[in-house]
Amino acid sequence: MASMFLCDHMLIRLGRWLRAAGYDTAIASGAASDRALLAQAVAENRLVVTRDRKLGEFREAPGRVLLLRAGTIEACAAELTERRAIDWLYRPFTRCLDCNMPLLPVSPELWQSVPETSRATGGDLRCCPQCRKLYWPGGHVRRMRHRLERWRNSDFVETIDETRQM
Ligand SMILES: [Zn+2]
């Protein structure tokens, strides 16, 4: 089965976490029809991750659609881990969270556009070749990494934290 994913529009946040972990993850636009979404999954050899029961009823669905029952992001991550053996530290922070593009290393001159407090931490500076967003190992990435580490240890929190931004 594919280890590349296609999250439906209701699972944008889960899709971004999969990208943070390093998985090649497409996220369907809200406008995509069920049929278009399945066609994309087949064409790109992706596993559709969805909570939409209807998607499971298509002819292409067996082996191609993973129907999650969970509600919160933590519960979705737990269910996905259980059913797909996700390694949340597969290749952490190697993809753009917005575009899914593999990040590229950038020249040290660009460090000037990084806040000074983050510059002090050192580490790699990477850039998305599509949207040009910069990624560096600052506090934001550290907090995300903590969550990825927790998930990797199958430590999922039963709480509704949908308001917390990633
Ligand atoms: Zn990008």
Side-chain angles (χ1 to χ4, degrees), residues 19 95-103 127-135:
R19 287 174 179 172
R95 288 184 175 272
C96 181
L97 299 181
D98 296 330
C99 316
N100 190 40
M101 290 288 284
L103 300 177
C127 176
C128 171
Q130 189 160 305
C131 72
R132 314 306 295 176
K133 186 172 171 180
L134 289 171
Y135 290 84

Side-chain angles (χ1 to χ4, degrees), residues 87-156:
D87 177 359
W88 291 101
L89 292 175
Y90 169 53
R91 288 173 188 162
F93 306 106
T94 54
R95 288 184 175 272
C96 181
L97 299 181
D98 296 330
C99 316
N100 190 40
M101 290 288 284
L103 300 177
L104 300 175
V106 294
S107 59
E109 303 92 78
L110 269 173
W111 273 105
Q112 282 153 19
S113 47
V114 172
E116 204 162 337
T117 49
S118 300
R119 252 183 274 166
T121 65
D124 288 342
L125 181 64
R126 294 181 183 175
C127 176
C128 171
Q130 189 160 305
C131 72
R132 314 306 295 176
K133 186 172 171 180
L134 289 171
Y135 290 84
W136 65 89
H140 185 58
V141 165
R142 265 200 310 281
R143 281 191 296 278
M144 287 186 69
R145 182 184 278 273
H146 283 153
R147 192 192 287 212
L148 291 174
E149 283 167 359
R150 189 160 56 70
W151 286 358
R152 194 203 207 179
N153 295 328
S154 292
D155 177 8
F156 300 100

Side-chain angles (χ1 to χ4, degrees), residues 1-20:
M1 275 223 314
S3 61
M4 297 190 298
F5 301 98
L6 172 56
C7 287
D8 81 11
H9 194 66
M10 301 301 287
L11 295 174
I12 291 176
R13 292 185 68 225
L14 183 67
R16 290 172 62 89
W17 279 105
L18 282 166
R19 287 174 179 172

